[in-house]
Amino acid sequence: MKNEEQTRTLFGINLTSRPIWQQFLICSSGFFFGYLVNGICEEYVYNRLQFSYGWYFTFVQGFVYLVLLRLQGFTTKHMVNPWKTYWKLSAVLMGSHGLTKGSLAWLNYPAQLMFKSTKVLPVMVMGAFIPGLRRKYPPHEYIAAILLVIGLIMFTLADANTSPNFSMLGVIMVSGALIMDAFLGNLQEAIFTMNPETSQTEMLFCSTVVGLPFLIPPMLLTGEIFKAWNACYEHPYVYGVLVFEAMATFIGQVSVLSLIAIFGAATTAMITTARKAVTLLLSYLIFTKPLTEQHGTGLILIAMGIVLKMLPENKIPTLNKPSPIPMKSYDNEKKTLTEDDEEKRPLV
């Protein structure tokens, strides 16, 4: 756990005063709830309604975030970091969101989901190069990440045979989002590490405000802003789905930022992978898609990777054993000095 001295809250719940397992449970529950709803809404909008406007939907989502943050009472007066801190983070964040949502026009949701599940490996690798982190991980965690990648490949190859919505362009887009995700989690952790006073709401507010302008060029160059506007004008109920999705995702975003601040980017990436597996199963159950043996093998390998990542490290607690010795020595020394100097002590 990092930054134990920093008080952290999540929607009014004090996390710092609670045991570590309760912190993990509360943050994970908020994250799972928010992104399970997000996954179902995205599957409905992209695959059922055939609305593939990722950049525009991310733009709308950003404004919903700002409204919710304002309702929570956050203003620029609560900022502890300068605006320039969030330029790189915002560009990566919006690029990741836009490419992720846009890839659903060429990939079905489970295939995209499994690609995104592998982000734990690039997150771990990138963590060794981000200034302020320079993290190193034990070998079994890299093995766990490799199992996830192999499971993804098997699942994706099987999905290409059972789903018509699979193309190389979608793979390129989601791969670009994956690379940006590798920077995203580590940059967020670096900001929390270098300035522990940074709150989750500040992180989300600043990255959204700075990031929204980055979405305008791709919307204009592709003409998506006009197509999406006309499509949503003809079907205004889509905005209701988008707002509902954004509200749920807001809960998930603040929760995942809490996980990054407390447990780090790599651990959070593994938790998001577990969430993706649950969302994947729900996608097949709700939208009645065929599962093959190859799908099952891929899921088993992913489960093995998750279990391996959760194994505790075997460390010998050598730092705690010698602690009584210096304490005893200090007490004896203090006692001796007190007895020797007792006669020299002035009377009060």
Side-chain angles (χ1 to χ4, degrees), residues 165-182:
N165 198 9
F166 184 92
S167 74
M168 188 53 62
L169 181 57
V171 172
I172 294 174
M173 292 181 69
V174 77
S175 298
L178 198 61
I179 294 172
M180 292 187 178
D181 282 340

Side-chain angles (χ1 to χ4, degrees), residues 41-210:
C41 291
E42 284 189 347
E43 177 86 352
Y44 176 75
V45 170
Y46 284 89
N47 288 346
R48 294 303 185 224
L49 301 182
Q50 299 297 315
F51 280 24
S52 55
Y53 307 116
W55 300 108
Y56 182 77
F57 289 168
T58 304
F59 194 73
V60 173
Q61 187 181 64
F63 278 102
V64 176
Y65 283 177
L66 295 180
V67 172
L68 293 175
L69 287 167
R70 188 66 187 91
L71 292 176
Q72 279 198 318
F74 184 85
T75 63
T76 53
K77 296 180 181 179
H78 298 93
M79 291 176 57
V80 297
N81 294 309
W83 284 102
K84 64 180 181 180
T85 306
Y86 297 98
W87 280 104
K88 293 180 181 179
L89 175 64
S90 302
V92 170
L93 176 65
M94 294 305 169
S96 173
H97 285 347
L99 290 174
T100 298
K101 293 181 181 295
S103 66
L104 285 171
W106 290 273
L107 292 175
N108 71 337
Y109 188 73
Q112 184 233 57
L113 197 77
M114 299 308 294
F115 262 100
K116 294 282 285 184
S117 296
T118 62
K119 77 175 184 179
V120 61
L121 184 56
V123 166
M124 292 170 67
V125 173
M126 195 59 63
F129 302 97
I130 296 294
L133 292 181
R134 307 293 184 186
R135 293 197 174 278
K136 294 182 179 180
Y137 299 94
H140 78 271
E141 295 197 13
Y142 285 102
I143 296 174
I146 292 172
L147 285 174
L148 287 174
V149 174
I150 297 174
L152 157 74
I153 294 173
M154 294 191 66
F155 189 95
T156 304
L157 291 176
D159 196 56
N161 296 325
T162 59
S163 172
N165 198 9
F166 184 92
S167 74
M168 188 53 62
L169 181 57
V171 172
I172 294 174
M173 292 181 69
V174 77
S175 298
L178 198 61
I179 294 172
M180 292 187 178
D181 282 340
F183 286 94
L184 179 60
N186 285 299
L187 288 174
Q188 289 170 332
E189 184 182 357
I191 293 174
F192 282 128
T193 301
M194 291 186 288
N195 190 349
E197 296 298 321
T198 307
S199 66
Q200 304 95 304
T201 49
E202 175 185 334
M203 180 80 71
L204 187 56
F205 174 81
C206 294
S207 57
T208 302
V209 170
V210 177

